[in-house]
Amino acid sequence: MDRAGPSSTNILNTGESGTGKEVLARALHNCSSRSTKPFIAINCTAIPETLMESELFGHSKGSFTGAISDKKGLFEEAQGGTIFLDEIGDMDLGLQAKLLRVLQERTIKPVGSNQFKTIDVRVIAATHKDLKKAIANQIFREDLYYRLSVIPIVIPPLRHRPEDIPLLAHHFLRKYSALNNGKNVSFSQEALRKLMSFTWPGNVRELENMIERVVVMARSSQIDAVDIPDSDQSSPELFFGSATNDFPTLEQLEKRYIELILEKSGGKKEQAAQILRINRRTLYRKEKDYGFVTDSESDSMSEK
């Protein structure tokens, strides 16, 4: 990064989903001479193929139905800066050929226009796919691969760099403590060791999700190992899978979920209500309806 960042050379970031490929791309942009110019990110899977060319290169008025005016493409918007093409491995073959031409000639032609525009844009691409295999399967152009991968950077999965976990965990702890009314919480050494023992198939994104959850659920100023869900319990799908395997009604599912949140929050009604995004009176009423408390207990709580 230190050597490649200041250059204008195209870079290809590869790594599993959630490893931080866009974070790396932004860091490369920020340490380059282009840092004062735009950084434009686009996910190649998020836009339909029929609109992708227009998004990248722009279009002229009347070039297709709905084109009521000229529109700049993202390459033009990123002039002088960096464009980040995420999930480049999912790009349509026809568009790959047009992108190759842009990289070779440093010009773009908006859809419906006969005019070429010169561009000065650095391209950083990223993918979680094996592009060499995609080339062998003839779904990715080999010539485009070599244009993009002048400097390849492989981001290892989190399980291969466990020494990064405490650094990331503390970063996310500060972030979500600030977002949750400035909670003052810290990790015990046992909690950090437990975090380092997980394989993290979702990588940094999964770790961030976990830290946000334990900050919200924290019962004291110190997060201990017991507060960290086991790795096989960290997926919401497991809760919903076990909670719905007998095809409950929506009311029964709500009852089970409220019961879970009350358990996880240690019975703290205000915290449980915040997680459920309902007010405390509504929570008290539902506790009464579902038989979690007696009528007298519910009336007493609702008066507080």
Side-chain angles (χ1 to χ4, degrees):
M1 277 185 60
D2 290 341
R3 286 176 288 167
S7 74
S8 289
T9 303
N10 295 338
I11 293 177
L12 178 65
N13 296 340
T14 57
E16 294 178 6
S17 179
T19 50
K21 295 185 287 295
E22 183 172 345
V23 173
L24 175 62
R26 288 183 182 275
L28 289 165
H29 171 75
N30 290 337
C31 68
S32 74
S33 59
R34 299 173 179 268
S35 59
T36 58
K37 300 295 183 179
F39 175 90
I40 304 291
I42 182 169
N43 188 314
C44 296
T45 63
I47 299 173
E49 291 177 9
T50 52
L51 298 178
M52 192 66 171
E53 183 178 359
S54 171
E55 283 294 314
L56 289 176
F57 310 131
H59 62 250
S60 297
K61 179 180 178 180
S63 55
F64 54 84
T65 303
I68 59 176
S69 62
D70 291 349
K71 177 183 179 297
K72 283 184 178 182
L74 295 178
F75 268 90
E76 197 171 354
E77 294 281 356
Q79 183 72 0
T82 303
I83 190 165
F84 174 59
L85 301 175
D86 197 10
E87 299 304 348
I88 191 73
D90 293 313
M91 182 176 280
D92 173 70
L93 271 171
L95 195 55
Q96 288 180 33
K98 294 176 180 178
L99 176 60
L100 176 64
R101 191 178 306 116
V102 169
L103 297 179
Q104 289 174 333
E105 300 174 6
R106 295 291 168 179
T107 60
I108 58 169
K109 187 175 76 168
V111 176
S113 172
N114 293 321
Q115 300 295 318
F116 285 88
K117 298 181 178 182
T118 301
I119 56 161
D120 173 25
V121 175
R122 182 191 202 179
V123 175
I124 300 178
T127 183
H128 71 281
K129 291 186 173 180
D130 184 340
L131 291 188
K132 291 290 186 69
K133 186 179 292 185
I135 291 168
N137 293 332
Q138 299 185 332
I139 57 175
F140 199 84
R141 294 180 63 107
E142 186 174 24
D143 45 7
L144 176 59
Y145 171 79
Y146 287 112
R147 278 285 176 181
L148 293 170
S149 186
V150 178
I151 299 178
I153 297 180
V154 179
I155 308 177
L158 196 54
R159 62 184 174 276
H160 291 170
R161 46 190 174 106
E163 67 279 1
D164 286 353
I165 291 173
L167 296 170
L168 290 163
H170 280 111
H171 167 71
F172 294 131
L173 181 71
R174 289 190 295 271
K175 174 181 176 179
Y176 289 107
S177 294
L179 289 174
N180 285 276
N181 302 317
K183 271 191 170 182
N184 184 21
V185 289
S186 60
F187 290 113
S188 70
Q189 289 302 309
E190 291 75 15
L192 288 174
R193 280 193 285 270
K194 187 171 182 179
L195 289 172
M196 292 176 71
S197 71
F198 294 162
T199 56
W200 301 110
N203 293 294
V204 180
R205 188 178 294 123
E206 183 184 1
L207 174 63
E208 180 175 6
N209 177 281
M210 172 76 81
I211 301 306
E212 180 179 8
R213 186 183 316 163
V214 298
V215 168
V216 170
M217 294 295 196
R219 302 180 186 185
S220 67
S221 61
Q222 180 168 273
I223 295 171
D224 294 313
V226 69
D227 299 313
I228 307 291
D230 291 335
S231 57
D232 60 352
Q233 296 175 351
S234 61
S235 172
E237 287 81 359
L238 290 174
F239 164 74
F240 287 105
S242 61
T244 60
N245 58 12
D246 58 346
F247 302 105
T249 64
L250 189 59
E251 184 180 46
Q252 289 171 326
L253 185 58
E254 181 185 62
K255 176 182 178 181
R256 294 173 189 181
Y257 185 60
I258 290 174
E259 192 172 24
L260 173 72
I261 296 302
L262 285 168
E263 178 188 339
K264 292 295 185 182
S265 63
K268 295 178 181 177
K269 303 294 191 292
E270 185 170 355
Q271 187 180 69
Q274 287 177 348
I275 296 169
L276 293 164
R277 301 296 174 94
I278 58 177
N279 61 50
R280 282 187 292 177
R281 286 185 178 277
T282 302
L283 177 59
Y284 296 148
R285 178 175 55 77
K286 289 184 178 293
E287 285 187 291
K288 179 181 175 182
D289 291 345
Y290 293 138
F292 297 155
V293 294
T294 64
D295 290 352
S296 58
E297 287 175 322
S298 178
D299 293 340
S300 173
M301 288 187 294
S302 63
E303 290 170 0
K304 295 179 181 179

